[in-house]
Amino acid sequence: GQQVMQIPQYQHVQEGEDFTTYCNSSTTLSNIQWYKQRPGGHPVFLIQLVKSGEVKKQKRLTFQFGEAKKNSSLHITATQTTDVGTYFCAGRWSGGSNYKLTFGKGTLLTVNP
Amino acid sequence: EAGVAQSPRYKIIEKRQSVAFWCNPISGHATLYWYQQILGQGPKLLIQFQNNGVVDDSQLPKDRFSAERLKGVDSTLKIQPAKLEDSAVYLCASSRRETQYFGPGTRLLVL
């Protein structure tokens, strides 16, 4: 079945360092979403990317969608302890049931103050 | 705007017992989803409803899991009988369009 692969599985950084997580699909995506899940919490929507090559920014977070719409990345500049959590990408493919998302396994980010 | 409500928040049962989870979506959201999230993994879609109709239940273990959304609002997910591998967080989400809003989840432990 269709799936998205996320790397790395874990990332530990010092506060102030940058962080990047990558998401890949073997087939072209219709769109991709990113969610954040704090420890013990539930996934919270961050952003959706739809267009080829799209780049969106939210304060220190930068989201990119590849030209071929098969990969995406989330980059956090100058991490803070509030960034701790698991970041999931979730993909959607053409022809799938309306609004169905397939989540990656996530990247767990820990930040050392 | 009130969020997605779920109950109970925690449940401990023995294997072969039955359990039911309840979800109340955000008002006006036609689409409702049930996910299973095993520790260390991403949410896995079990079933998706559009109003009171099933859109996708391809990953629902139908020999033991069932779900309904009779009036197109609240939904229940049932497991009967439970197995050890069903220990997970069961997340309910709802959407009006493409953004999904998750509830706090029900943490199930099967002993």
Side-chain angles (χ1 to χ4, degrees):
Chain A
Q2 291 161 326
Q3 58 182 340
V4 286
M5 305 301 292
Q6 239 183 298
I7 56 170
Q9 190 175 359
Y10 308 98
Q11 184 77 57
H12 178 74
V13 299
Q14 289 291 126
E15 189 171 24
E17 291 182 338
D18 293 355
F19 160 77
T20 305
T21 174
Y22 301 90
C23 186
N24 291 284
S25 167
S26 59
T27 55
T28 302
L29 293 155
S30 174
N31 57 64
I32 194 160
Q33 295 184 357
W34 287 91
Y35 289 77
K36 177 183 178 181
Q37 186 173 25
R38 294 183 186 274
H42 57 275
V44 174
F45 174 80
L46 294 176
I47 209 154
Q48 175 170 280
L49 303 172
V50 179
K51 299 177 183 177
S52 168
E54 190 169 16
V55 178
K56 288 187 176 180
K57 294 190 176 184
Q58 290 179 350
K59 297 182 180 179
R60 295 178 294 103
L61 278 60
T62 301
F63 303 85
Q64 294 189 347
F65 203 8
E67 294 290 341
K69 298 183 69 174
K70 290 183 177 181
N71 57 74
S72 181
S73 65
L74 158 59
H75 179 82
I76 302 178
T77 303
T79 55
Q80 300 175 358
T81 55
T82 53
D83 295 325
V84 165
T86 301
Y87 292 85
F88 293 100
C89 65
R92 218 175 250 129
W93 291 265
S94 299
S97 59
N98 286 343
Y99 306 144
K100 176 182 178 179
L101 286 173
T102 300
F103 282 78
K105 290 189 175 182
T107 296
L108 173 60
L109 172 65
T110 56
V111 179
N112 197 32
Chain B
E1 180 179 69
V4 176
Q6 288 188 247
S7 68
R9 293 295 309 276
Y10 306 91
K11 191 74 177 178
I12 301 174
I13 62 173
E14 295 186 347
K15 59 183 179 184
R16 292 188 289 273
Q17 286 187 325
S18 302
V19 65
F21 313 126
W22 173 83
C23 173
N24 182 238
I26 293 172
S27 178
H29 283 193
T31 311
L32 185 148
Y33 316 77
W34 283 102
Y35 289 90
Q36 180 193 58
Q37 186 174 26
I38 293 173
L39 187 64
Q41 297 187 19
K44 169 189 164 185
L45 181 69
L46 294 175
I47 190 166
Q48 177 181 340
F49 292 95
Q50 182 77 15
N51 295 308
N52 61 351
V54 175
V55 174
D56 189 315
D57 64 356
S58 57
Q59 298 189 100
L60 185 73
K62 298 180 184 65
D63 57 334
R64 298 184 300 107
F65 286 64
S66 64
E68 60 184 13
R69 194 185 184 198
L70 292 175
K71 296 183 179 179
V73 180
D74 293 7
S75 178
T76 56
L77 175 69
K78 296 179 181 178
I79 307 175
Q80 180 179 8
K83 292 185 175 181
L84 297 177
E85 58 261 35
D86 297 332
S87 294
V89 176
Y90 290 85
L91 293 161
C92 179
S94 71
S95 69
R96 179 178 285 118
R97 295 190 63 188
E98 295 177 314
T99 300
Q100 295 188 18
Y101 298 87
F102 285 81
T106 297
R107 295 181 182 275
L108 173 67
L109 179 60
V110 182
L111 302 175

